[in-house]
Amino acid sequence: MSYYQLVPGVYVEELPEKEGKITVSIGPQHPGSGHFRLIITIDGDVVVDADPDPGYVHRGEEKMCETRDYIQNIPHLERPVVLDSAGIQFPYILAAEEILDIKDKVPEKAKYLRILLAEFNRVISHFYFLAIQAIFLGHSTVLEWSMADREVLMDLAAMLTGARVTFAYFVPGGVRSDVPSGFVDQTLKAVGYLRSRMKEYWRMLVDNPFMKMRMEGVGVLKAKDAIELGAVGPNLRASGVEYDIRKVDPYSLYDTVEFHVPTYKEGDTMSRIKIRLDEINESLGIIEQVVRKLDGMRGPVRHLVKGAALRAKPGEAYARTEAARGMMSFYIISDGGRTPYRVKVDTPSFRNMKLIPVLLKDVRVADVPIVFWSIDYWPVEADR
Amino acid sequence: MKASEFLSGFLKVVESGLRHLVRKRMTLRYPEFLVVPAPDELFGFKPGEARDTNGLRGRHLLDLDRCTGCRLCEITCNGISGAITMVKVEGQFPRNKRGIFPSIDYGRCVFCGLCVDACIFDALFMTDREELAEYDRAALLYGPEEISKPPKELPVKIRAKRAELILDERRGAHHVQRKN
């Protein structure tokens, strides 16, 4: 019988033990797991069973929504996934607009600005993914590179919104601020710069023979399994299923921008890296198109909703978007008050958590961090 | 994997790495330099245009003459971080008969700027000052008098020079000192 001390000397938990095998608890406070516990059973050097144990960073975001009005809910809803704060705001705002009945009043310019910030955030989030994946691979060059290149877009986002990470930029009715002077030029330059860098990333991570040896054929997720387990986002597309909410169910003005959805057939750790590199490229394309459209576009950016109009009619609303990690959706029920009656957040990380036991099976212990991180699981987002 | 394939891939990686020896450094010597990406403008809300001005969201700036003590900022902040409380200020304020003004606890503030949006009297703004560290938690509580004054210049020893990000495809992203 093995024990795990949750609080040393106070609370001891029994871990199941199988004949001749060792059960190891990774986390919850471990740099390689995020704030999340992973219980793996190993036979020699090979993982025979992996059991994710979420809940360590549960914050009760859904309950918090019930005591705040539709504008006060904005800042705290960004906190579960600060790396992709526009990604989690987008579906909330779309659902809130539907329930407040101001969906048709959102200015066109605001819709483009939303797409712009959402794509900024997708790139920022994917760069963070690459950084951590690289350091798990022992490739600290790419760690430094991607952390530095994130800064370019974070500075631009700060120019637009006033904050580097937690933007609080989307509001029911539009966005909060207009395009500043010099922003369009600076963004086009940034797109050019990052495009030239993406070739180097590809060379460093994908064509690198050492990375090929580490990642090709490791942690394979077959397309059939991915669909059955309900995988979303880049992980699903890396297994060969072309499914992107931006194409399947276009929201905002995504149907007016051109991009394609990259897919890979292999479904291994390497293809999950390749898909994110491709997605950064596609996002840069969207940013370029949107910025060119915004250049010289006039008009309001926000339909101002005041006091009494923030009171929603009884009813329900649902909105889904493609965040950096996959499909993010919000379901809001209102009973006619100032605050929502119930808010349900469906996050991509929670859906992707089901992949962990499948992916980690028959993987060597040394490969556990890279396979685990390759699905870009963000514990705080999953726990909400 | 063939030996030739391995070798060429490896050499390309080394070449990519070596090229960065001659590129400009992207990192910034932080206390001496500070990036201020936003234009030098106060973050404020324009009710007429229904938008915020572009500026960094840092420490607040309160216009005592315009504030009416309507508590809209406090009501908004209550559901967000609870950083704003109204306090009484001695003196005569024609627009604010009760003499109550917001005081902000920067130990709680999340710098979302929604209090600025809530202010319909154009009295609350945000400056780009983000360095607010103190040794004492109580010192983070700023009263109306403190937030009504523009942020003090930092002592010369730690005063940062403003830097600007230059995006160059060939030489890499780097910073230069801003002229203005």
Side-chain angles (χ1 to χ4, degrees), chain A residues 112-130:
Chain A
Y112 277 123
L113 280 165
R114 281 180 185 174
I115 292 178
L116 182 70
L117 195 67
E119 295 305 319
F120 270 17
N121 235 322
R122 190 185 314 278
V123 179
I124 289 169
S125 177
H126 282 353
F127 269 133
Y128 187 85
F129 162 82
L130 290 177

Side-chain angles (χ1 to χ4, degrees), chain A residues 126-194:
Chain A
H126 282 353
F127 269 133
Y128 187 85
F129 162 82
L130 290 177
I132 306 297
Q133 180 75 9
I135 198 65
F136 281 167
L137 288 160
H139 196 335
S140 49
T141 311
V142 173
L143 165 86
E144 315 262 338
W145 281 8
S146 18
M147 282 296 185
D149 287 337
R150 266 177 93 215
E151 292 292 314
V152 173
L153 289 178
M154 278 158 83
D155 281 350
L156 282 172
M159 217 166 142
L160 181 66
T161 67
R164 281 164 51 83
V165 181
T166 47
F167 308 119
Y169 185 60
F170 301 164
V171 278
V175 293
R176 285 175 67 189
S177 47
D178 209 340
V179 182
S181 61
F183 178 78
V184 171
D185 288 349
Q186 201 67 350
T187 310
L188 289 175
K189 268 191 213 163
V191 168
Y193 167 71
L194 290 175

Side-chain angles (χ1 to χ4, degrees), chain A residues 192-296:
Chain A
Y193 167 71
L194 290 175
R195 280 229 172 97
S196 69
R197 297 284 287 143
M198 291 324 289
K199 288 170 202 146
E200 289 187 73
Y201 280 102
W202 191 269
R203 210 183 248 187
M204 275 288 189
L205 281 171
V206 181
D207 293 340
N208 188 336
F210 297 104
M211 296 297 120
K212 278 186 180 166
M213 286 175 194
R214 275 304 290 281
M215 291 189 291
E216 274 183 357
V218 176
V220 178
L221 178 70
K222 291 188 190 94
K224 191 169 159 278
D225 287 345
I227 295 168
E228 275 175 7
L229 290 163
V232 287
N235 302 325
L236 179 65
R237 296 195 282 275
S239 297
V241 186
E242 196 178 329
Y243 188 80
D244 190 318
I245 308 294
R246 291 175 291 172
K247 284 276 186 208
V248 175
D249 180 12
Y251 51 95
S252 206
L253 287 173
Y254 268 111
D255 44 358
T256 64
V257 288
E258 273 176 38
F259 63 100
H260 89 273
V261 181
T263 50
Y264 283 93
K265 285 203 185 81
E266 296 86 1
D268 57 357
T269 309
M270 182 59 111
S271 63
R272 284 194 283 278
I273 288 197
K274 282 196 248 177
I275 198 127
R276 277 162 180 114
L277 287 169
D278 281 353
E279 281 198 5
I280 293 177
N281 264 327
E282 290 301 317
S283 287
L284 292 176
I286 298 176
I287 291 170
E288 199 180 352
Q289 288 174 48
V290 170
V291 155
R292 285 193 199 283
K293 278 180 180 157
L294 282 171
D295 194 11

Side-chain angles (χ1 to χ4, degrees), chain B:
Chain B
M1 197 185 294
K2 278 184 215 152
S4 59
E5 206 182 312
F6 181 90
L7 202 67
S8 73
F10 177 68
L11 286 176
K12 274 181 187 165
V13 169
V14 173
E15 189 215 322
S16 263
L18 283 177
R19 201 179 289 160
H20 280 259
L21 283 176
V22 291
R23 279 194 165 192
K24 291 233 172 187
R25 184 179 60 197
M26 186 174 171
T27 47
L28 186 78
R29 297 203 168 266
Y30 166 64
E32 290 118 54
F33 285 94
L34 181 70
V35 181
V36 184
D40 294 315
E41 204 176 352
L42 285 181
F43 180 85
F45 182 60
K46 291 189 172 172
E49 295 171 40
R51 65 171 183 95
D52 292 304
T53 47
N54 298 102
L56 276 192
R57 298 205 299 257
R59 211 210 76 179
H60 294 76
L61 188 65
L62 176 71
D63 193 336
L64 286 180
D65 296 332
R66 285 190 189 156
C67 180
T68 61
C70 68
R71 311 176 85 117
L72 277 175
C73 50
E74 189 197 16
I75 293 163
T76 309
C77 197
N78 252 341
I80 295 168
S81 64
I84 301 183
T85 41
M86 304 303 276
V87 292
K88 197 156 171 54
V89 175
E90 295 302 321
Q92 288 291 318
F93 300 98
R95 288 192 73 178
N96 195 339
K97 295 272 156 55
R98 287 173 293 178
I100 52 166
F101 292 96
S103 81
I104 300 171
D105 182 358
Y106 286 105
R108 296 186 67 104
C109 183
V110 295
F111 299 96
C112 64
L114 287 171
C115 51
V116 178
D117 274 28
C119 184
I120 51 172
F121 298 103
D122 219 5
L124 201 57
F125 301 92
M126 279 171 128
T127 61
D128 60 7
R129 174 63 60 84
E130 290 173 322
E131 286 83 2
L132 296 168
E134 295 281 354
Y135 286 105
D136 185 9
R137 205 182 158 84
L140 287 170
L141 183 64
Y142 283 50
E145 290 95 345
E146 278 169 288
I147 55 168
S148 65
K149 288 176 199 123
K152 268 186 233 148
E153 279 287 305
L154 291 167
V156 181
K157 219 165 103 187
I158 50 171
R159 191 187 297 162
K161 291 175 193 132
R162 297 195 161 190
E164 198 179 357
L165 183 68
I166 300 291
L167 297 160
D168 194 324
E169 280 176 43
R170 275 181 48 246
R171 290 159 77 202
H174 58 276
H175 294 90
V176 292
Q177 196 176 332
R178 237 166 105 159
K179 287 182 186 83
N180 51 349

